[in-house]
């Protein structure tokens, strides 16, 4: 009986842990091994397999070859996060504080586009942003936009596409944390002679930081690795690291390089987020989450 | 005992007696160290070994005489690449009536590399891919399949229609001498396609590959993201024959393409999606595959035109192959033979509008409904003048060759 009780936690977390081990740890390990291998010399096209050679220079080679795309992806993702935060915060605030009984309806409306496939939505954006399409040709005709205006193929198009796809992932965490703000605290602040601006800046905003952090995680990380938006909306100078990994893996079949790229991305993101969490104050986040 | 004795200093004693590593920590680190050591031993023995198809069923000693008809066929192909009428494929239905073989047709191939990436792991382990016929363009993937012994060699005695009716341009090709493993499904040309906006911007119709570099079309030119197509067009622009080009030539072509990119002329590098960009008016002039423009004309864009540039077109072939481990090889080769019957080839050509491998189908197509224009088009039934304008792709000699090509042309696309 006592043994069963001591083993119970393992039994309960077992399936989850097993899933993580099989579908996360083992593939990660296999990829790590692959990134350190070099292909055996081939005759013609005959595949000779790979040989484990502790080929750490693969990582420096990957960085020197593709650091431009790495930095570009980080910059784009940063802009996307900032844009979605600026757009999403008022929306979440409004739903949380002024939503009343219709809150779930509003949330459902925000999630509605997700019933349509991700790729189809990006294709719809291609249609909307095309220079000869309905939107721009009419705007050009009434001289709101200059002739020859085009946005498809520019970084703006790619960033807009990613921001559009990431917006619900920013709004929902923000809504959750704003929902949890105790209304009594807000009322107390205004009782103590705080103006509504001060109430927001000094009470509500700090209390919603866990939501901002969660929204940042859910937006930034997928945005860095995004490749669909560049494929459909991008141009010649907007290639992101996701496209590079896809090309190296599928087109060039350079598995070691692609694995190294994926690992650099993963480790870089982890370190960046750890630093960010420290700066924001993890204790606060732990307390509230 | 001297009170000032540093050995009696409380703070010092506290510091000295502070636990650095507890017993539990020591055990934990030891365990991790052992684990790491075990891992490295495991890693060192790792390394994907070379592939070896199961010995007795190796394609090299494939015996056609013991094969039986299974009356089923799994056929993977590209989209819009077979005659379709009201949801069925008439030629497949006729095939079933004639031979009793049920064809499971799936247009799952959109890209040679992506499809090859899906089947090569299975082939490497000697397992069946689930397909009996696959259609792959001549290029690196086809050479790789051949070199690695992953295709079943064809028995020419089972392909009488091919011997009798196939066009000379696809018999004994450089990428598959003697048609040992492949017979062509359809061929096609990579040339230029343009919309009236290009004519307007240039003041004339585009006629040459140099028009892809025209500043007047800056920001409205589409190039292909397949680096074989991209590199070949660079070589053609410089007047270099791709099939005999050298790495020096490739570098020159890459320079020209980089210059085009620096001048801001291409809007982007596209795969099959280039047609959408042309239809939407985002690109005015683009590299294009001949049959796609026919299809676009039929689907509501009659103003788009395909043109054979002065420098010539690239001539590619999509080939039917039987992968190793295929479960119905005899059914597969029966179908391959069926497709080379001029009647069947005509039915296919009248729908697909790419270059059919059977020239004798021309007169039959002329008699089919809507077939007169098709039979007269040099893009479907090329004449000698058309063949004179075709160029062949460079045939990679091996993986290192391919890697060199990729390293020269990839930075243009991924920049």
């Amino acid at each position: 009986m006592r043994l069963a009780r001591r083993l119970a936690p393992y039994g309960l977390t077992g399936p989850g842990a097993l899933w993580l081990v099989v579908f996360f740890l083992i593939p990660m390990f296999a990829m790590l091994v692959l990134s350190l291998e070099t292909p055996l010399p081939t005759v013609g096209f005959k595949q000779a397999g790979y040989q484990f050679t502790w080929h750490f220079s693969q990582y420096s080679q990957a960085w020197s070859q593709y650091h431009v795309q790495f930095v570009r992806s980080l910059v784009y993702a940063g802009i996307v996060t900032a844009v979605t935060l600026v757009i999403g915060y008022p929306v979440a605030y409004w739903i949380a504080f002024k939503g009343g009984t219709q809150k779930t309806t509003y949330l459902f409306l925000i999630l509605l586009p997700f019933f349509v496939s991700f790729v189809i939505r990006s294709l719809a954006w291609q249609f909307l942003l095309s220079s000869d399409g309905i939107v721009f040709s009419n705007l050009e005709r009434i001289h709101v936009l200059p002739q020859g205006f085009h946005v498809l193929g520019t970084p703006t198009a790619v960033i807009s596409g990613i921001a559009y796809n990431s917006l619900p992932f920013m709004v929902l965490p923000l809504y959750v944390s704003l929902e949890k703000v105790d209304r009594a605290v807000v009322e107390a602040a205004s009782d103590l002679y705080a103006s509504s601006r001060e109430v927001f800046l000094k009470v509500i905003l700090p209390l919603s930081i866990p939501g901002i952090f969660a929204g940042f995680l859910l937006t930034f990380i997928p945005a860095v690795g995004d490749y669909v938006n560049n494929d459909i909306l991008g141009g010649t100078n907007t290639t992101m690291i996701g496209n590079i990994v896809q090309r190296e893996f599928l087109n060039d079949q350079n598995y070691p390089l692609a694995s190294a790229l994926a690992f650099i991305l993963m480790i870089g993101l982890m370190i960046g987020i750890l630093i960010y969490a420290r700066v924001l104050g993890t204790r606060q986040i732990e307390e509230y989450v | 005992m001297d009170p000032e004795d540093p050995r009696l200093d409380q703070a010092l004693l506290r510091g000295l007696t502070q636990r650095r590593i507890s017993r539990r920590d020591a055990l934990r680190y030891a365990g991790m160290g052992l684990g790491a050591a075990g891992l490295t031993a495991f890693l060192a023995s790792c390394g994907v070994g070379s592939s070896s198809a199961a010995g007795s069923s190796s394609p090299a000693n494939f015996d056609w005489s013991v094969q039986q008809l299974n009356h089923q066929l799994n056929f993977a192909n590209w989209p819009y690449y077979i005659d379709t009428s009201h949801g069925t494929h008439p030629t497949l239905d006729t095939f079933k009536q004639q031979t009793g073989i049920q064809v499971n047709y799936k247009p799952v191939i959109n890209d040679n590399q992506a499809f090859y990436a899906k089947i090569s792991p299975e082939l490497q382990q000697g397992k069946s891919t689930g397909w009996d016929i696959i259609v792959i363009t001549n290029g690196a993937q086809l050479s790789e399949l051949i070199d690695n012994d992953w295709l079943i060699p064809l028995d020419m005695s089972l392909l009488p229609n091919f011997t009798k009716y196939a066009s000379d341009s696809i018999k004994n090709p450089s990428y598959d001498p003697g048609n040992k493993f492949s017979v062509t499904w359809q061929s096609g040309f990579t040339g230029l396609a343009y919309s009236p906006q290009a004519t307007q911007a240039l003041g004339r119709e585009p006629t040459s590959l140099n028009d892809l570099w025209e500043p007047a079309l800056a920001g409205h030119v589409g190039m292909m993201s397949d680096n074989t197509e991209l590199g070949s067009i660079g070589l053609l622009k410089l007047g270099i024959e791709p099939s005999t080009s050298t790495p020096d030539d490739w570098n020159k072509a890459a320079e020209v393409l980089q210059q085009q990119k620096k001048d801001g002329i291409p809007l982007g590098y596209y795969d099959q999606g280039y047609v959408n960009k042309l239809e939407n008016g985002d690109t005015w002039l683009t590299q294009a595959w001949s049959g796609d423009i026919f299809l676009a004309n039929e689907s509501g864009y009659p103003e788009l035109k395909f043109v054979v540039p002065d420098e010539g077109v690239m001539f590619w072939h999509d080939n039917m192959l039987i992968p190793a481990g295929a479960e119905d090889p005899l059914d597969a080769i029966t179908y391959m033979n069926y497709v080379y019957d001029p009647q069947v080839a005509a039915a296919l050509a009248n729908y697909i509008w790419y270059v059919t491998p059977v020239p004798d189908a021309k007169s039959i197509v002329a008699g089919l409904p809507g077939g007169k224009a098709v039979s007269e088009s040099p893009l479907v039934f090329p004449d000698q003048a058309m063949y004179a304008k075709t160029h062949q792709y460079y045939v990679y000699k091996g993986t290192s060759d391919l890697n060199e090509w990729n390293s020269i042309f990839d930075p243009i696309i991924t920049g």
Side-chain angles (χ1 to χ4, degrees):
Chain A
M1 190 55 204
R2 278 187 62 188
L3 184 65
R5 183 171 288 182
R6 281 173 56 189
L7 287 182
Y10 296 107
L12 286 171
T13 56
L18 193 64
W19 193 92
L20 260 184
V21 166
V22 170
F23 290 113
F24 180 69
L25 284 183
I26 291 183
M28 284 290 127
F29 180 68
M31 220 168 64
L32 183 63
V33 169
L34 193 54
S35 69
L36 297 175
E37 291 181 339
T38 47
L40 289 169
T42 57
V43 173
F45 273 104
K46 196 147 176 58
Q47 295 293 322
Y50 291 96
Q51 191 187 37
F52 187 76
T53 55
W54 294 104
H55 192 216
F56 281 109
S57 61
Q58 187 77 259
Y59 284 87
S60 51
Q61 191 194 333
W63 178 258
S64 66
Q65 205 174 344
Y66 291 120
H67 64 271
V68 171
Q69 284 86 359
F70 267 119
V71 172
R72 185 186 291 153
S73 305
L74 291 171
V75 167
Y76 285 5
I79 299 177
V80 164
T81 315
V83 165
T84 49
L85 185 59
V86 165
I87 298 178
Y89 202 100
V91 175
Y93 183 86
W94 194 87
I95 300 179
F97 281 83
K98 311 274 197 293
T101 48
Q102 305 296 327
K103 277 181 196 168
T104 40
T105 316
Y106 296 136
L107 288 174
F108 175 71
L109 284 175
I110 291 189
L111 282 178
L112 201 54
F114 274 71
F115 283 93
V116 178
S117 148
F118 182 82
V119 176
I120 294 182
R121 279 184 279 128
S122 301
L123 283 172
W125 267 67
Q126 183 199 237
F127 178 69
L128 280 176
L129 292 182
S130 100
S131 315
D132 246 16
I134 304 178
V135 177
F136 288 147
S137 60
N138 286 323
L139 284 176
E140 277 179 26
R141 199 176 314 145
I142 61 175
H143 294 292
V144 169
L145 290 173
Q147 285 299 108
F149 178 83
H150 79 278
V151 76
L152 207 59
T154 59
T156 315
V158 178
I159 292 176
S160 309
I162 306 177
Y164 165 68
N165 282 311
S166 310
L167 194 59
F169 294 117
M170 181 60 92
V171 168
L172 285 177
L174 283 176
Y175 165 77
V176 167
S177 72
L178 283 170
E179 178 75 19
K180 284 207 285 211
V181 167
D182 194 348
R183 302 291 183 265
V185 171
V186 175
E187 214 181 302
S190 49
D191 283 347
L192 290 171
Y193 306 111
S195 65
S196 38
R197 201 178 69 102
E198 279 177 330
V199 167
F200 177 75
L201 284 176
K202 295 204 171 160
V203 178
I204 298 181
L205 191 58
L207 285 176
S208 65
I209 287 199
I212 297 180
F213 182 67
F216 166 81
L217 282 183
L218 287 177
T219 319
F220 186 79
I221 298 176
V224 175
D226 189 271
Y227 63 93
V228 176
N229 282 289
N230 178 60
D231 256 351
I232 298 177
L233 304 169
T236 54
N237 286 319
T238 56
T239 315
M240 297 179 71
I241 196 67
N243 301 105
I244 304 289
V245 175
Q246 185 192 31
R247 179 165 278 265
E248 289 292 346
F249 234 99
L250 290 184
N251 283 19
D252 299 348
Q253 293 187 288
N254 192 347
Y255 300 135
L257 183 61
S259 310
L261 285 169
F263 255 97
I264 294 176
L265 187 64
M266 199 169 68
I267 306 292
L269 279 178
M270 268 205 285
I271 295 177
I273 287 166
L274 278 173
I275 297 176
Y276 183 70
R278 284 249 171 262
V279 164
L280 267 192
T282 41
R283 202 175 340 132
Q284 260 186 328
I285 294 169
E286 281 165 21
E287 267 175 19
Y288 290 110
V289 173
Chain B
M1 284 267 224
D2 180 8
E4 296 293 320
D5 189 339
R7 289 173 298 176
L8 287 179
D9 180 16
Q10 294 291 337
L12 181 63
L13 287 173
R14 269 202 301 277
L16 285 173
T17 55
Q18 191 182 46
R19 239 178 18 189
R20 306 276 175 238
I21 300 184
S22 70
R23 187 161 49 240
R24 175 189 263 186
D25 286 339
L27 282 175
R28 192 197 305 159
Y29 294 139
M32 276 164 49
L34 274 177
L39 279 179
T40 51
F42 178 61
L43 288 179
S45 68
C46 250
V48 179
S50 62
S51 71
S52 54
S56 57
S57 63
S58 164
N61 30 351
F62 189 80
D63 190 358
W64 278 103
S65 57
V66 301
Q67 296 302 321
Q68 303 281 346
L69 274 182
N70 296 331
H71 297 288
Q72 67 166 20
L73 180 64
N74 296 310
F75 184 5
N77 202 353
W78 298 66
Y80 306 120
Y81 230 12
I82 199 166
D83 60 326
T84 310
S85 168
H86 306 295
T88 64
H89 309 295
T91 51
L92 294 180
D93 295 332
T94 323
F95 182 62
K96 181 167 181 193
Q97 277 170 0
Q98 282 182 7
T99 59
I101 299 175
Q102 172 70 32
V103 179
N104 176 21
Y105 182 81
K106 289 271 185 300
V108 292
I109 308 181
N110 282 302
D111 183 45
N112 288 306
Q113 288 122 337
F115 185 72
Y116 178 72
K118 265 194 266 183
I119 58 173
S120 71
E122 287 158 349
L123 290 168
Q124 229 164 19
Q125 295 162 24
K127 292 206 287 238
S128 161
T129 58
W131 300 109
D132 302 308
I133 298 186
I134 57 178
V135 176
I136 301 285
T137 319
N138 60 315
Q141 288 75 37
L142 185 56
S143 307
E144 215 166 303
L145 284 167
I146 293 176
D147 273 4
N148 282 292
D149 237 2
W150 287 338
L151 297 173
I152 293 182
L154 305 174
D155 185 350
M156 276 298 146
S157 67
L158 295 171
L159 291 168
N161 283 343
F162 177 78
T163 319
K164 195 165 166 200
Y165 294 117
S167 148
D168 286 330
S169 64
I170 52 148
K171 276 194 178 158
N172 198 21
S174 51
Y175 53 85
D176 182 22
N179 289 102
K180 199 163 165 217
F181 300 100
S182 67
V183 289
T184 303
W185 169 253
Q186 300 280 306
S187 313
F189 304 116
T190 310
L192 294 177
Y194 63 97
S195 61
Q197 283 141 311
T199 325
Q200 208 178 7
L202 284 176
R204 56 170 172 85
E205 306 236 303
T207 53
S208 151
L209 288 179
N210 289 318
D211 293 330
L212 285 171
W213 272 259
E214 266 294 325
L217 297 171
H220 295 281
V221 165
M223 304 293 285
M224 287 199 170
S225 65
D226 180 331
N227 61 18
T228 313
E229 295 276 19
L230 189 66
S232 304
I233 218 92
L235 290 166
L236 276 186
K237 179 205 190 299
L238 296 173
I240 304 171
E241 171 64 39
S243 52
T244 52
S245 55
T246 65
D248 282 331
D249 297 326
W250 304 345
N251 280 316
K252 286 193 215 132
E255 259 174 53
V256 161
L257 289 163
Q258 282 285 12
Q259 190 56 43
Q260 185 200 34
K261 193 171 160 186
K262 271 197 210 102
D263 295 338
I265 299 180
L267 180 64
Y269 299 94
Y270 306 111
D271 57 4
Q272 182 70 51
Y274 76 86
V275 186
N276 287 335
K277 292 288 195 290
L278 190 66
E279 288 168 356
N280 288 343
D282 295 311
T283 54
W284 297 343
L285 178 67
T286 177
Q287 273 186 284
W289 292 320
S290 46
D292 289 347
I293 305 303
F294 270 126
L295 197 59
N297 290 146
E298 286 296 305
S299 16
Y301 297 95
E303 69 277 8
L304 301 178
K305 294 208 193 71
F306 182 85
V307 65
V308 175
D310 300 330
E311 293 86 349
V313 288
M314 300 306 301
F315 193 25
W316 46 261
H317 311 280
D318 284 338
N319 305 290
M320 290 188 277
L321 317 162
I322 309 181
E327 280 148 25
D328 316 298
L330 192 57
D331 307 74
I333 206 164
T334 314
Y335 182 76
M336 287 180 178
N337 190 46
Y338 170 74
V339 161
Y340 275 86
D341 183 303
Q343 293 284 353
V344 180
L348 291 169
N350 199 28
Y351 182 86
I352 302 177
W353 296 326
Y354 271 99
V355 178
T356 178
V358 178
D360 287 347
K362 184 170 173 174
S363 46
I364 304 175
V365 172
L368 289 174
K372 191 90 175 53
V374 174
S375 69
E376 286 162 3
S377 164
L379 293 173
V380 183
F381 293 99
D383 49 6
Q384 277 308 109
M386 185 68 208
Y387 277 121
K389 293 195 199 133
T390 60
H391 300 269
Q392 307 293 333
Y393 288 113
Y394 177 78
V395 179
Y396 303 106
K397 295 192 201 59
T399 319
S400 49
D401 217 20
L402 175 64
N403 287 340
E404 203 177 341
W405 176 283
N406 283 339
S407 66
I408 293 175
F409 289 111
D410 265 355
I412 304 168
I413 303 169
T414 59

